[in-house]
Amino acid sequence: MAREDLTRLTGVAGDPPCKSDDCPNVYRTASGSIVVQGDVSDAFQPPAGEGLVEIPEAVLREAVRALGW
């Protein structure tokens, strides 16, 4: 799946604090699942095929507002 296939729910590239596409973000897939982009976390070792990311609370709150939850 390419980034272009996702609906970005948070941040706008060029707007502070997101000056490029490499900042923490939350995306929605066409099937309705959520993809999270953030700094890699080593809080614990997830199962094979999974990963942990860390995102600021404000990013998650913005995603919830965008989804109307």
Side-chain angles (χ1 to χ4, degrees), residues 17-61:
C18 186
K19 294 186 172 116
S20 65
D21 283 337
D22 65 352
C23 57
N25 277 297
V26 178
Y27 301 86
R28 190 172 205 180
T29 67
S31 65
S33 63
I34 302 294
V35 174
V36 178
Q37 174 188 351
D39 294 329
V40 176
S41 173
D42 60 359
F44 63 90
Q45 184 62 44
E50 295 184 7
L52 302 175
V53 297
E54 187 173 340
I55 61 169
E57 180 181 327
V59 173
L60 187 55
R61 288 180 181 275

